[in-house]
Amino acid sequence: MATTSEKILEASARHPKPEEKTFHNLLDPVFFRVALIAALRSRKLGGQTIGIMITASHNPPEDNGVKLVDPMGEMLEQSWEVYATRLANAPTDQALLESYEQLETSLKIKPGVAAHVIFARDTRESGPALVSALVDGLEVAGASYVDSKILTTPQLHYLVRCINTKGTSYEYGEPTEAGYYKKLAAAYKRVMKGRKSTGSVTVDCANGVGGIKLVELIKYLLGPEEGGVEIKVVNSDAWKPERLNSQCGADFVKTQQRPPPSSKVGPLARCASLDGDADRIVYYFIDSDNSFRLLDGDKIATLAASFIGDLAKSAGLADKLKIGVVQTAYANGSSTDYITKSLNLPVVCTPTGVKHLHHAAVKFDVGVYFEANGHGTVIFSNAALKTLASHEPQSPAQASAIDCLRALTELINQAVGDALSDLLLVEVILAHRAWGPKEWDSTYTDIPNRLVRVEVPDRNRFKAVDAERRLEEPKGVQELIDALVSKYKQGRSFARASGTEDAVRVYAEAATRGEADDLASKVASVVQKGGQ
Ligand SMILES: CC(=O)N[C@H]1[C@@H](OP(=O)(O)O)O[C@H](CO)[C@@H](O)[C@@H]1O
Ligand SMILES: [Mg+2]
């Protein structure tokens, strides 16, 4: 019988690294190799289940990619990203096998431990072919696996957390797709007790997996006749994969600062857009003067933080729950001011990327984190869960606030930012406050801002520090940016190398639209020159 090493070598030859790279032949060996990493990770963690999500999120339909999920539903631990890259880049089948065996030895992984993996994909056409490459890898690595077919990214994170917590005192939920809907719907009904939604919300599903799953979720929720929100699902053409993220979706709305051209809603109607794998959401509406108003991740974070802060006070728990908000440098300066000065809550700024925000948020009892682009969630610490479970209310008002807080811990996805869960979170808050989008928007006014992309010969020369708000290298560039910023009222600007695209991003804020554009373009030209 062939040994595991022989099997890996033989199978790897079926997933060769292409001589001439096209998108598809490039991904086939990557997926084969990702399977090997997932098997190693599961074995290293004593056989806990690891998740693999096949998606390219908000990117064009022909792209694809992969996200690895750790046992508690969190993103793969950072040190393992390095190992994954090492396996993915191994130049030959033999080099791949050597890297695999080296990892086994250096990480003291016992090959005899059973490995378990669960995977799912979004609606992209390339998904099934990539699943074959993945399965080939899982089989030769001796991992057992579950194919969960088509799911949103956060649903897969949910399943991973449920499977790994099953039978413990902190069981997360029933590890099925229906279990996900039931958990959200039960919590939604609890928070909505005695409240009524007004109006409807139109949800643009980016023609992706979010539409299919939102239609399912609605079946479990309260109908409008029962006081629940009326959810109108649009851009849910998931079976025409070429339409995915095309002229719609959260990324389109956020970057273009306008509704999807297909949108038919009138003034003051609430709208929301999901991204292609439903882990991001933004809200927006058309104001009475026909202007477009975006309610982005910052507005969702401030809404959630203010609501939870008020509930904690009503429950008599203001001193016991340390609530904090985590943002990145892209958060609008007005939102940061509003959180610190009006809500009196602490704000932490981290580098871009949700894993950084998540790690900072766990330091609070209630950590609210959102990127401006709409990716985020609220996490409750174990101490907070204990406080909520044991707190004896002293009045009916306290009892109702505490029940609402407990239900929120179930409504909000604790593993990862989840557009469907965030949608319900926003909807329950608006129902509690009897607010429409305009009242929500008027909590603070965004400082005009501009984000531009600058192509430079080598973006790695740009080294940012201080949560990416200042450039250490190339030398001298930060001083030039500072000098420009000082000339603008409410001016703020920074430049950093993108982690996902071959470019440097420049962000600028200033008192007026024209000044923000002007500052952004001047900083962009400083960056361009400094990057030569
Ligand atoms: C300004 C911006 O939106 N940056 C995005 C983008 O990161 P960059 O490192 O800026 O390319 O992609 C990340 C992953 O999706 C997301 O977390 C982040 O917010
Ligand atoms: Mg996404």
Side-chain angles (χ1 to χ4, degrees):
M1 224 172 71
T3 62
T4 300
S5 309
E6 285 161 355
K7 282 192 214 158
I8 290 178
L9 269 185
E10 192 203 333
S12 180
R14 289 197 294 274
H15 303 281
K17 295 208 104 178
E19 306 255 309
E20 199 182 316
K21 292 174 183 169
T22 67
F23 206 80
H24 287 274
N25 65 17
L26 201 64
L27 280 181
D28 180 90
V30 169
F31 273 74
F32 173 74
R33 290 155 184 233
V34 159
L36 302 186
I37 269 290
L40 286 176
R41 178 84 182 139
S42 172
R43 283 201 177 100
K44 172 72 191 171
L45 298 177
Q48 294 191 78
T49 298
I50 296 297
I52 303 175
M53 182 68 201
I54 305 171
T55 177
S57 186
H58 59 281
N59 294 296
E62 56 282 8
D63 287 12
N64 219 332
V66 62
K67 296 180 180 178
L68 279 156
V69 183
D70 258 357
M72 285 304 280
E74 290 171 347
M75 279 183 245
L76 180 70
E77 190 185 285
Q78 255 157 302
S79 58
W80 276 69
E81 282 175 17
V82 181
Y83 309 147
T85 311
R86 199 183 300 164
L87 285 206
N89 291 341
T92 61
D93 302 337
Q94 188 62 41
L96 170 68
L97 177 63
E98 278 163 20
S99 291
Y100 178 88
E101 290 180 337
Q102 254 166 24
L103 280 179
E104 252 182 359
T105 316
S106 62
L107 297 169
K108 301 195 175 62
I109 294 169
K110 297 192 185 77
V113 175
H116 302 287
V117 171
I118 179 169
F119 59 85
R121 59 189 163 90
D122 68 11
T123 52
R124 280 162 217 269
E125 275 180 300
S126 57
L130 295 173
V131 163
S132 311
L134 196 66
V135 165
D136 222 0
L138 292 171
E139 283 179 350
V140 291
S144 76
Y145 58 86
V146 174
D147 178 355
S148 292
K149 305 278 168 30
I150 292 179
L151 290 179
T152 69
T153 295
Q155 284 180 324
L156 179 73
H157 285 253
Y158 165 89
L159 290 182
V160 169
R161 189 166 171 133
C162 289
I163 292 168
N164 290 306
T165 56
K166 202 167 167 49
T168 66
S169 58
Y170 45 95
E171 207 168 271
Y172 193 59
E174 186 193 307
T176 61
E177 189 182 334
Y180 170 89
Y181 301 125
K182 283 188 217 156
K183 178 170 175 169
L184 287 191
Y188 175 75
K189 288 175 189 166
R190 238 169 109 190
V191 188
M192 285 297 287
K193 207 156 60 196
R195 312 281 163 166
K196 206 175 162 319
S197 265
T198 47
S200 60
V201 59
T202 300
V203 185
D204 150 30
C205 299
N207 291 320
V209 58
I212 307 172
K213 304 306 178 184
L214 179 54
V215 167
E216 278 307 303
L217 173 62
I218 290 171
K219 295 179 187 161
Y220 293 78
L221 298 174
L222 295 172
E225 65 291 345
E226 300 161 294
V229 60
E230 184 188 354
I231 301 174
K232 296 179 180 161
V233 181
V234 299
N235 296 330
S236 57
D237 240 343
W239 305 117
K240 293 195 188 115
E242 72 282 1
R243 300 193 55 192
L244 175 67
N245 296 320
S246 167
Q247 300 288 303
C248 60
D251 200 62
F252 175 91
V253 172
K254 170 77 181 161
T255 54
Q256 305 264 329
Q257 307 262 330
R258 60 184 168 116
S262 59
S263 174
K264 294 192 183 61
V265 295
L268 301 181
R270 347 192 248 293
C271 302
S273 285
L274 319 179
D275 76 337
D277 64 336
D279 65 352
R280 260 168 74 179
I281 186 168
V282 292
Y283 266 74
Y284 48 95
F285 68 103
I286 304 295
D287 211 343
S288 341
D289 63 358
N290 260 330
S291 62
F292 170 80
R293 311 289 309 166
L294 182 67
L295 298 152
D296 63 0
D298 301 341
K299 278 258 156 71
I300 299 175
T302 49
L303 184 75
S306 115
F307 183 60
I308 294 170
D310 287 351
L311 284 174
K313 276 186 212 127
S314 308
L317 288 172
D319 304 334
K320 296 211 177 105
L321 292 179
K322 195 168 181 301
I323 304 170
V325 181
V326 185
Q327 302 187 308
T328 71
Y330 293 104
N332 195 277
S334 277
S335 71
T336 314
D337 265 3
Y338 174 74
I339 298 162
T340 51
K341 296 185 184 140
S342 299
L343 302 179
N344 289 315
L345 294 174
V347 174
V348 173
C349 182
T350 72
T352 306
V354 277
K355 57 178 178 258
H356 298 294
L357 288 105
H358 190 96
H359 285 139
V362 296
K363 302 204 172 93
F364 293 103
D365 291 321
V366 184
V368 180
Y369 73 86
F370 274 87
E371 288 192 310
N373 64 21
H375 191 155
T377 190
V378 182
I379 48 181
F380 294 83
S381 69
N382 287 335
L385 294 177
K386 274 198 192 116
T387 305
L388 288 175
S390 62
H391 185 64
E392 292 285 348
Q394 308 297 313
S395 66
Q398 281 200 357
S400 124
I402 191 104
D403 192 54
C404 200
L405 280 169
R406 286 178 190 151
L408 285 180
T409 68
E410 304 271 314
L411 180 68
I412 305 171
N413 194 321
Q414 296 297 290
V416 75
D418 180 340
L420 299 183
S421 157
D422 290 340
L423 171 77
L424 296 182
L425 173 64
V426 169
E427 288 303 323
V428 298
I429 302 175
L430 295 180
H432 269 250
R433 301 232 144 131
W435 277 2
K438 187 150 174 109
E439 289 78 17
W440 173 17
D441 189 38
S442 65
T443 47
Y444 66 86
T445 307
D446 276 333
I447 303 172
N449 59 89
R450 177 65 64 201
L451 181 62
V452 291
R453 200 175 171 275
V454 186
E455 291 192 5
V456 293
D458 179 10
R459 79 185 200 276
N460 297 318
R461 286 189 55 215
F462 287 77
K463 300 232 164 14
V465 291
D466 186 21
E468 303 182 327
R469 289 172 290 192
R470 299 188 63 78
L471 278 178
E472 202 170 49
E473 282 177 33
K475 293 271 177 269
V477 173
Q478 187 59 48
E479 288 70 17
L480 295 172
I481 297 177
D482 290 343
L484 286 169
V485 168
S486 69
K487 294 187 188 138
Y488 291 79
K489 204 170 151 234
Q490 289 186 284
R492 182 170 77 92
S493 181
F494 64 92
R496 57 172 277 279
S498 158
T500 61
E501 289 170 33
D502 194 9
V504 171
R505 293 194 205 283
V506 168
Y507 176 87
E509 281 177 2
T512 62
R513 160 99 290 141
E515 286 166 299
D517 289 351
D518 196 44
L519 177 57
S521 82
K522 290 202 167 114
V523 172
S525 99
V526 159
V527 163
Q528 189 92 69
K529 287 192 197 110
Q532 294 305 311

